[in-house]
Amino acid sequence: MTTSTPHRTVRSRSRSRRPGRLRRLVAPLLLSAGLCLGTLTATAPAQAVDSTVITSTQSGGRTVSFTFDDGPNPTDTPRLLEVLRRHGVKATFCLWGDHVRQYPHLVRAIVADGHRLCNHSMSHQDMGGWSQQQIRQNLEQTNAVIRQAAPNAQITYFRAPYGNWGQSPQVAASMGMQPLGWRLAINDWEPPGTSELLRRLMQGVTPGAVVLMHDGGGDRSQTVAAVDQAIPQLKSQGYTFDQPAVR
């Protein structure tokens, strides 16, 4: 009977049972915590970056970064990729979501060649007056389309259509994308001829500059030809090619 059990025996049994009881109590708690942590990890947003609009290269100095907007383009993007491959240059491609849907294989080719990706919205609409919710919905849709074309692709940057940023830098940064501007635009959206584009590029470039050009949105054959000629000239002037900075 309990009343006749020596006190020492009761204490001994209590000690012997305590580890087992603790294990039974702690294990469900640990399991629950693990599940909660796993859920948080799975749904955690991308790490935020600085919302500053970047216009300079990652390394600075006598470097330059080529960026190309509005692609992919079934005619000129493959030609541009071949030019960059031949010269050993890595660039950044700012992708238009509707074009990604049309030509997903070109997104895979861009990624396979080691270039960086940039979200350039779904349909190139002016976001300057949009709410943060509208912007986020558009950027999420664009990212989803890009990753459908190239699963697990890293989308490093966001560039606002027309350079009208509004509230988009804050939204993009909260999604882990660096807002990407430019220091030099050669205005190749209205092609003035290859020689003129080359002149604008060579006279306008400065050390550490991000350069805005286009591989989509129209006939970009003049841009491709100008890039082909500019790369060796820039190299001869001591320039190396870099990617845009990320903060």
Side-chain angles (χ1 to χ4, degrees), residues 69-75 77-78 93-107 110 215-217:
D69 283 14
D70 297 351
N73 173 327
T75 302
T77 300
F93 286 79
C94 299
L95 302 175
W96 182 331
D98 288 338
H99 295 167
V100 169
R101 276 179 169 165
Q102 291 177 283
Y103 313 109
H105 65 288
L106 293 179
V107 180
I110 291 168
D215 68 316

Side-chain angles (χ1 to χ4, degrees), residues 2-217:
T2 304
T3 54
S4 64
T5 304
H7 186 60
R8 186 184 307 168
T9 305
V10 172
R11 288 173 59 190
S12 175
R13 288 177 181 174
S14 298
R15 288 196 190 100
S16 65
R17 290 175 182 174
R18 189 173 294 129
R21 291 179 65 193
L22 287 173
R23 281 194 294 270
R24 288 194 296 272
L25 289 170
V26 171
L29 293 174
L30 290 175
L31 179 59
S32 176
L35 289 173
C36 291
L37 287 173
T39 302
L40 288 173
T41 302
T43 59
Q47 172 135 17
V49 298
D50 195 317
S51 62
T52 303
V53 178
I54 292 297
T55 62
S56 60
T57 61
Q58 194 164 272
S59 304
R62 205 164 181 78
T63 60
V64 62
S65 177
F66 281 180
T67 66
F68 299 95
D69 283 14
D70 297 351
N73 173 327
T75 302
D76 296 312
T77 300
R79 292 174 181 172
L80 178 60
L81 288 173
E82 193 280 326
V83 165
L84 297 172
R85 194 181 308 120
R86 178 157 37 86
H87 291 292
V89 170
K90 303 300 182 187
T92 296
F93 286 79
C94 299
L95 302 175
W96 182 331
D98 288 338
H99 295 167
V100 169
R101 276 179 169 165
Q102 291 177 283
Y103 313 109
H105 65 288
L106 293 179
V107 180
R108 292 190 286 273
I110 291 168
V111 172
D113 276 5
H115 303 291
R116 286 188 182 177
L117 301 184
C118 171
N119 180 319
H120 197 38
S121 83
M122 274 303 297
S123 304
H124 208 272
Q125 295 171 280
D126 187 340
M127 296 181 170
W130 288 17
S131 69
Q132 289 197 9
Q133 183 179 359
Q134 289 173 311
I135 295 167
R136 181 177 293 275
Q137 183 177 8
N138 188 284
L139 269 54
E140 287 176 345
Q141 183 182 8
T142 308
N143 280 353
V145 169
I146 292 172
R147 291 196 173 108
Q148 186 175 8
N152 302 316
Q154 183 174 355
I155 305 167
T156 309
Y157 309 100
F158 164 74
R159 175 172 280 164
Y162 310 106
N164 291 339
W165 293 95
Q167 300 185 72
S168 65
Q170 293 81 9
V171 176
S174 74
M175 295 172 64
M177 295 182 290
Q178 183 70 57
L180 178 59
W182 59 89
R183 192 183 298 174
L184 171 65
I186 63 172
N187 299 351
D188 60 342
W189 50 83
E190 293 181 357
T194 297
S195 60
E196 175 59 18
L197 290 177
L198 180 62
R199 185 195 67 79
R200 293 176 186 177
L201 178 53
M202 296 306 301
Q203 291 187 6
V205 72
T206 54
V210 172
V211 180
L212 167 63
M213 295 177 279
H214 293 78
D215 68 316

